[in-house]
Amino acid sequence: VTGASFVVFNGALKTSSGFLAKSSIVEDGLMVQITRETMESLRQALRDKKDFKITCGEMDGGDVKEYVDICWVENEETTNKG
């Protein structure tokens, strides 16, 4: 679990890169590089206020995967304290 001050979603990742998605720490935030198709799905999920999971890593990387979960919560007062 990583806490971040901001999140940047970059929809310019090429399908030919061999990655499903890539995430990296940038200063005190998180940058997630995703394909255009994933960006469209993410936008729709945000409009619909639905949870969304982005799987990061190589397409043929085996079992070890990293995930970026976007979750809507009922009570955000306790979620972002500290």
Side-chain angles (χ1 to χ4, degrees):
V1 175
T2 301
S5 296
F6 64 90
V7 179
V8 175
F9 294 101
N10 178 342
L13 185 67
K14 303 284 186 223
T15 315
S16 61
S17 71
F19 285 91
L20 298 166
K22 293 165 65 173
S23 66
S24 55
I25 305 291
V26 180
E27 296 180 15
D28 60 342
L30 178 69
M31 180 171 67
V32 185
Q33 298 175 10
I34 55 179
T35 62
R36 184 182 328 167
E37 295 80 13
T38 304
M39 180 65 88
E40 288 300 321
S41 298
L42 172 59
R43 286 180 179 155
Q44 190 60 51
L46 291 173
R47 282 187 211 107
D48 297 341
K49 295 185 178 180
K50 296 195 180 223
D51 294 351
F52 193 78
K53 183 180 225 172
I54 299 170
T55 304
C56 300
E58 294 182 38
M59 289 184 187
D60 58 355
D63 294 336
V64 180
K65 297 287 183 212
E66 185 176 290
Y67 301 96
V68 176
D69 288 321
I70 297 123
C71 303
W72 292 89
V73 294
E74 301 259 338
N75 182 1
E76 70 180 71
E77 289 176 18
T78 58
T79 304
N80 293 323
K81 280 190 178 174

